[in-house]
Amino acid sequence: MSWIAECLSRVTRPMRLRLRRTVTTLSLTVLSPSVLAVEYNMPVGVTAVSREIHSLHMIIFWICVVIGIVVFGVMGYAMIKHRKSRGAVSASFHENTRIEILWTAIPLLILVVMAVPATATLKDMYDASESALDVKITGHQWRWQYEYLGEDVAFTSSLATPREQINNTAAKGEHYLLEVDNPLVLPINRKVRFLTTSADVIHSWWVPDFGVKKDAIPGFINEAWTRIETPGTYRGQCTELCGKDHGFMPVVVEALPEAEFDEWLIARKAEAEAALNDAGRDWSLEELMEKGEKTYATICASCHQPDGQGMPPAFPSLVGSAIVTQDMQAHIDIVVNGKAGTPMAAFADVLSPVELAAVITYERNAWGNDTGELVQPAVIKEQLSQ
Amino acid sequence: MASEQPRKAVLQASESEGATAGGAHVGEGHGSAPRGMLRWLLTTNHKDIGTLYLIFSLSMLFIGGIMALVIRTELFQPGLQMVQPEFFNQMTTMHGLIMVFGAIMPAFTGLANWMIPLQIGAPDMALPRLNNFSFWLLPVAFLLLLSTLLMEGGGPNFGWTFYAPLSTTYAPPSTSFFIFSLHIAGISSILGAINIIATILNLRAPGMRLMDMPLFVWTWLITAFLLIAVMPVLAGAITMMLFDINFGTSYFNAAGGGDPVLFQHLFWFFGHPEVYIMILPAFGIVSAIVPTFSRKRLFGYASMVYATGSIAIMSFLVWAHHMFAVGLPLVAELFFMYTTMLIAVPTGVKVFNWIATMFRGSISFEPPMLFAIAFIVQFTIGGFSGLMLAIAPADFQYHDTYFVVAHFHYVLVPGALFAILAGAYYWLPKWTGFYPHEGLSKWHFWLSVIGVNLTFFPMHFSGLAGMPRRIPDYALQFADFNMLSSIGAFLFGISQLLFLVVIVKCARGGVRAPACAWEGAVDLEWSVPSPAPLHTFEIPPQTRDGQIIR
């Protein structure tokens, strides 16, 4: 029964704090509309498109408010004035063709007025031509992969919030669930085209501040674009249910001034080259274990758990399993190519040869598996090229 | 199991009533009617079957409601506290499926069974045995669906919209059972719809023209056609899923040359008319209650019928507005944006007509009227957010956020469910012979209104601030509104227990209701005694302009 008490105290302690915060924010929103506009409304954003969308949103909102005031006003008037308890006697009218035509035509007119700017914005959003930079975005369960097309730069971007914060054993950080290990870095003032697709199920890539949301669908390549106007860090999330960790695959974009972005891209290219060379050398067990532990934590642990115990039957345990402790080739195969018909994805395109070798080595030696075996990145590289 | 209580009570009430009516049966030479469980298993009486439907949907409402409370408990504050993401996804999926297919749809079918024959002066439904069969399919379907929660790998966890390939290649092993149960529920709906159409077209009392029928009958006639049109599309789509999962086809599997977006087109070609299947009968109920308690004829009867018809036809032309973010071509986006905006016009006409009916009436505020008025206001709020969602560029920001969750819950809970509650309060005197306890009913009403708005109104804000739907945990800036929603959900959930109490009390006794239980009520059901005897209109009444003349 102690867990009940623990649960209760866990719930009530922050609850009292939050309740106080709720009351203050609520009173603030009543007092100042600007707070409402910032925190609880659609963001205005940092692109021309996001501003247009925001103004469409506000126009249609105010149209609804006005219609609402008129309709509910008449209704309220009738409810007060024409109640039986005040001695109201009902009239007998029940038809009026003229008024029926009128209240069909007026809404129609309002809608036409609304459709004109909406059409213009939509056309604009669909024109992804003449981009300065193309980024391919691939959704994976449950991370994003970014490729700068034609630049030989590619990396994955996974949730960086520590598990302890999610499980309430550590205090939550400022950007809880909205932080990643490798953010997508983009230049400002350049037209960036996004090509979204998926390696498994349907995901959706969304950054509210850009007004960009596009589904990432296996077998399809969708197009979207943006031109960011202000440098900064912009956060969004996956918005299509994609399985267990749908709530844990945020999008983080860092927008840099053009010159800084160019420098970043050059540095990133050099890094990629160095990593490629690094894969050719001999790695020690310690080096691989150290790198493998990190890779395992960001990529594998969400299903197979930090302690390797998994969550059977969907996610099998790796502790003492036949594949992980015996046949090395089978182990490499399943990590590199995945297993069809199961959630086990192919990691050939997601991880580098060094990361693949490291994570396989780590799994073969962690949690008491202690096989003492290691696989060199060069071996993986060779197998990948076949 | 709180839902056991009213079942027993209603059973007793109907049994005593069945005893006398059964006696009449013997006299007619039909042999003695079965008693106890068998009576309910074998019944072909539209009132009994209506009662069964209503009790079934009420128990589903509570099961689906408990799942909603599991969801709201987890979302009470950031972090994972009560359940893990896998189970959370099963809860959101099952909650949606059970509420849509198990609670709202059967409730309307139950009301149709009870009231359509009474409102058109028919002795029973046209196909009584089919009626029995279509009801008893439902418990089978939903037991099967609920049992998937206990299977290895858990129940369906891909959302009630079950988008492929999450629901095929990546689905838990129980998915084939989910598909089978949906097939059974679908057959039940189709058979029910056929029965309703046959009844309305063939069994109207002499002298009753189509344009004399009460609007509840009209809206159900149109709904039944929608059901027959779209349930087979759903059946086709889930059969394709079944083949993809078990027989190696690739309808929705891109790796095999299939098309995941095709699934969404098929689903929403069913799904959007389905939305109107869940709201058109609600329009019918409100169109009966508002004139009664305004003591004034419904304003614009003909335009109400035409508006319902145009909504039904247009509901086939708007489906892809659920798919604005999947990368449709520009022309398709524009087409579906315009048609979606257009559908607001007939819907608006309905709201205007109800208000014109109230205007210069002689209004009183009995519980059915309270729920009907709340329906009009809250459904209109849901309509407003629907209009906002129709604006395709803005939809890119709203899509799959809590703004959408707020929108469809406003039309389904304070909308459709409130209309069902209004209907239940309106017709309870006809069913049991007693008025529902007025004080308790009003408590139920006010707690429900406060609870439902506290739950769903803040969701508009969390959605606009950027909270995606179907997530078990969220960033800190969404915490305040989520806490409000969770508090509201518990208030709303618990206050529905009051509804149970009201029903039980009403079945057991209270203030006796005369044949015409409400002062301004004019439809045919108010011409038979309260409670309605097991057999009514055995001799068809002669009617003119929808009224009995002899």
Side-chain angles (χ1 to χ4, degrees), chain B residues 425-456:
Chain B
Y425 279 114
Y426 184 54
W427 285 311
L428 262 172
K430 186 54 61 192
W431 301 336
T432 66
F434 301 107
Y435 285 102
H437 189 283
E438 178 135 5
L440 279 177
S441 310
K442 286 191 168 165
W443 269 101
H444 173 223
F445 170 75
W446 286 109
L447 289 176
S448 295
V449 166
I450 294 168
V452 92
N453 285 290
L454 190 58
T455 312
F456 298 118

Side-chain angles (χ1 to χ4, degrees), chain A residues 40 57 71 82 84 88 90-91 94 100 111 119 126 166 168 176 206 208 213 215 220 222 239-240 244, chain B residues 80 86 259 295 300 303 325-326 328 333 338 341 353 355 360 362-363 396-400 473 481 519:
Chain A
Y40 304 122
H57 159 69
V71 170
H82 306 145
K84 194 190 174 200
S90 57
H94 59 86
E100 298 271 2
L111 290 177
T119 304
Y126 261 71
I166 297 170
N168 309 306
Y176 177 69
W206 183 33
K213 178 184 286 157
D215 285 0
F220 283 70
N222 274 332
T239 45
E240 183 62 64
K244 181 171 83 72
Chain B
L80 294 178
E86 300 83 358
D259 181 350
R295 292 163 184 80
S303 80
V326 301
L328 300 174
E333 297 261 321
Y338 299 149
M341 289 166 81
N353 277 332
I355 290 171
R360 294 195 47 210
S362 170
I363 307 172
F396 280 96
Q397 297 282 47
Y398 306 136
H399 179 76
D400 260 340
D473 192 8
F481 283 124
E519 192 188 355

Side-chain angles (χ1 to χ4, degrees), chain B residues 134 136-138 140-141 144 179-189:
Chain B
S134 48
W136 282 109
L137 283 175
L138 275 183
V140 176
L144 190 61
I179 290 172
F180 191 41
S181 79
L182 219 52
H183 266 307
I184 301 175
I187 292 171
S188 160
S189 287

Side-chain angles (χ1 to χ4, degrees), chain B residues 236-247:
Chain B
I238 58 179
T239 307
M240 288 157 90
M241 281 172 60
L242 193 73
F243 274 59
D244 270 12
I245 293 170
N246 296 303
F247 306 122

